[in-house]
Amino acid sequence: MAAESFDNHMARAIELAQRGEGAVEPNPMVGCVVVREGQVVGEGWHQRFGGPHAEAEALHHAGETARGATMFVTLEPCCHQGKTPPCADAVVKSGVSRVVLAQRDPFPQVAGGGIRILQEAGIEVEVGVCEQQARALNAPYLKLVETGKPWVIAKWAMSLDGKIATRTGDSQWISNEASRAVVHQIRGRVDAIMVGSGTVRVDDPLLTARPAGPRVATRIVLDSAASLAVASKLVKSIEAAPVLVVATSDAPTENVRRLTELGCEVLVCDGGTPAERIHKLLAELGQRRLTNLFVEGGATLLGTLRDADSIDEVHVFIAPKIIGGVHAASPLGGSGLELVADAQRLTDWTITELEGDVYARGRVG
């Protein structure tokens, strides 16, 4: 089989894997294509957390035609019993003669074990076809496994002159309906949405996806005093989605009790600096297996994340409006950088027009 065919079949497997976005986390997105004598005889992807893996789906569709075929899969087959049986064993049993992988799985219970099972069964294994694309697809999963922290997506909407609100704090609405629709789509596929207490006081957001997506995100408020108002939309809609209030140990006991009784979870997270507190929080969210964290906070929270070098991806909506004002907020506060030469550069940079707004997105570094 020609190298070009290898790339084409793996590209199809990556395309299939993408379909699981928002439905499979904290598992990785995985796609699989089974090819025999140049013809695709089976396809599959991991469609939902706890459901059949991509290899099982593709082999089910291929049936007996899998014997002697080549399997293209975006990630090393698992070799441990989880919510589903080990995929490596199923591949061996199918009679597939060759397996082409985009990348190894760093998950400790796999980490080369799946490849070893295949090779010991006499199956030819090739690793690294379209690896860069596969790693980009599963960057949030890889970060969670390798660092124990979620993938942090920062979002803001601003005017053409870089303001996220007027000098009085008014910010609704800078972006248009098309831009806000994209934000709701992102909300519907992430594990958590985070804002600061200032954003809640000024905007009283609901922070739910409308219409609903494949996931229901936990709504996180950084609120050192646990002062979230009981009349806020977040508290009043507690049955629609969980609310996690991140406070410090100095938060008044009465505030914590009141929010807890109303159904909110209050997490104590102390730290000597805002950056230290952020790192501790991200580690805790990683322990909870949250893969994607969407940050819609104001300048203070976004600036803290930038100073802590904790932003992985940005989504910026730029409206053709001019606000002005030296006291009007810009997107990122915090300490910032001293030199332009030290600025973080974005990769995978794309720009789209949304009915007049400019939608820019990219990954950090």
Side-chain angles (χ1 to χ4, degrees), residues 311-347:
I311 296 176
D312 299 297
E313 185 174 331
V314 297
H315 293 249
V316 183
F317 300 87
I318 307 167
K321 302 173 182 178
I322 297 175
I323 292 175
V326 67
H327 297 298
S330 59
L332 276 72
S335 299
L337 299 172
E338 293 184 4
L339 301 174
V340 173
D342 295 331
Q344 294 173 314
R345 293 186 176 275
L346 300 186
T347 62

Side-chain angles (χ1 to χ4, degrees), residues 30 32 53-60 71 73 75-78 87 91:
V30 182
C32 181
H53 287 188
E55 299 94 323
E57 285 285 299
L59 290 173
H60 172 72
M71 171 181 283
V73 62
L75 191 69
E76 176 183 0
C78 64
C87 289
V91 174

Side-chain angles (χ1 to χ4, degrees), residues 57-365:
E57 285 285 299
L59 290 173
H60 172 72
H61 290 124
E64 283 301 312
T65 60
R67 192 162 300 279
T70 297
M71 171 181 283
F72 294 82
V73 62
T74 57
L75 191 69
E76 176 183 0
C78 64
C79 55
H80 63 290
Q81 178 68 49
K83 291 185 177 295
T84 61
C87 289
D89 292 347
V91 174
V92 171
K93 185 178 179 180
S94 74
V96 163
S97 63
R98 177 166 53 178
V99 175
V100 180
L101 303 173
Q103 65 175 121
R104 299 173 185 269
D105 188 347
F107 188 67
Q109 290 177 276
V110 183
I115 292 174
R116 186 166 56 252
I117 289 174
L118 300 180
Q119 291 175 330
E120 290 175 351
I123 296 175
E124 180 185 347
V125 178
E126 180 175 343
V127 184
V129 175
C130 299
E131 181 174 4
Q132 183 176 351
Q133 297 93 315
R135 290 188 66 86
L137 175 70
N138 272 319
Y141 165 77
L142 296 173
K143 183 187 178 186
L144 181 62
V145 171
E146 294 168 354
T147 72
K149 294 179 180 179
W151 184 260
V152 178
I153 306 166
K155 165 262 172 182
W156 64 86
M158 67 181 186
S159 62
L160 194 59
D161 57 332
K163 305 297 183 180
I164 61 172
T166 68
R167 59 181 173 79
T168 64
D170 181 56
S171 62
Q172 296 183 341
W173 296 100
I174 289 179
S175 59
N176 62 25
E177 291 187 9
S179 293
R180 297 197 294 275
V182 172
V183 172
H184 281 284
Q185 290 171 8
I186 299 171
R187 286 179 179 178
R189 65 169 178 81
V190 299
D191 299 287
I193 302 165
M194 186 164 71
V195 296
S197 57
T199 295
V200 175
R201 284 194 301 271
V202 173
D203 296 338
D204 192 19
L206 192 56
L207 300 181
T208 56
R210 302 183 295 278
R215 303 187 83 74
V216 176
T218 296
R219 298 168 294 174
I220 302 175
V221 182
L222 296 191
D223 184 353
S224 59
S227 59
L228 178 63
V230 298
S232 67
K233 292 178 182 177
L234 290 172
V235 175
K236 293 172 71 173
S237 63
I238 192 68
E239 294 184 359
V243 174
L244 174 64
V245 178
V246 182
T248 68
S249 55
D250 293 329
T253 302
E254 176 59 24
N255 287 1
V256 174
R257 182 194 63 77
R258 181 176 65 247
L259 290 175
T260 302
E261 288 180 350
L262 290 170
C264 301
E265 178 186 357
V266 178
L267 171 68
V268 174
C269 187
D270 289 320
T273 65
E276 183 180 342
R277 187 181 176 203
I278 281 291
H279 283 304
K280 287 186 176 181
L281 173 59
L282 294 178
E284 170 62 27
L285 298 181
Q287 285 284 339
R288 299 182 182 207
R289 307 303 294 165
L290 301 187
T291 306
N292 289 285
L293 171 63
F294 191 41
V295 182
E296 297 192 50
T300 299
L301 176 53
L302 290 171
T304 298
L305 284 164
R306 203 236 66 82
D307 288 346
D309 196 22
S310 294
I311 296 176
D312 299 297
E313 185 174 331
V314 297
H315 293 249
V316 183
F317 300 87
I318 307 167
K321 302 173 182 178
I322 297 175
I323 292 175
V326 67
H327 297 298
S330 59
L332 276 72
S335 299
L337 299 172
E338 293 184 4
L339 301 174
V340 173
D342 295 331
Q344 294 173 314
R345 293 186 176 275
L346 300 186
T347 62
D348 300 326
W349 182 246
T350 62
I351 297 177
T352 308
E353 184 179 355
L354 295 174
E355 298 180 7
D357 282 1
V358 174
Y359 173 33
R361 59 178 293 185
R363 291 182 171 182
V364 177

